[in-house]
Amino acid sequence: MESYELEPIGWIRSELKNTKDAPRFYTEGAPDARLELDVRVWDAMDGIKVGDEIVVITWLHLANRETLKVHPRGDLTRPKRGVFSTRSPHRPNPLGLHRAKVLAIDQNVVSIGPIEVIDGTPVVDIKCVVKPSADD
């Protein structure tokens, strides 16, 4: 396999300090957090404003990259499934996709939430949420 290199564009700053405290999904009681962007990429935020929904793409740096099957949602009563059919953080390339709302923007710090990401998680990209137009 070819290898590729990703560099963080920022980091999540959250009250969640370890994986056992993180909810499995943002709708399950996740807190708001701060996204501290590297100032070198700040111009890429042009067009993003308070109230927008974004998808924050993270590198789940604490994940086990050797895991290929898991019990869905960690429930041992459920049979194991391939990680590609789950939202498990443990996977060959542990990218996290997190939908969040932009709550505030102050210099290179973007307040977002809710988001189920632990403190110190690297952010590798941000995408805007595209809403269908009335013609779609």
Side-chain angles (χ1 to χ4, degrees), residues 24-25 60 64 67-75 78-97 116:
R24 299 200 183 271
F25 200 61
L60 303 173
N64 179 337
T67 301
L68 299 179
K69 287 190 169 193
V70 295
H71 294 281
R73 297 186 63 82
D75 181 351
R78 297 171 72 180
K80 282 189 171 183
R81 293 187 358 207
V83 295
F84 296 156
S85 71
T86 74
R87 288 189 48 90
S88 172
H90 307 294
R91 53 199 325 110
N93 287 312
L95 292 171
L97 302 176
E116 73 285 12

Side-chain angles (χ1 to χ4, degrees), residues 37-51:
L37 285 170
D38 187 310
V39 295
R40 295 175 294 174
V41 300
W42 184 244
D43 281 347
M45 286 294 291
D46 186 33
I48 301 288
K49 62 188 180 316
V50 171

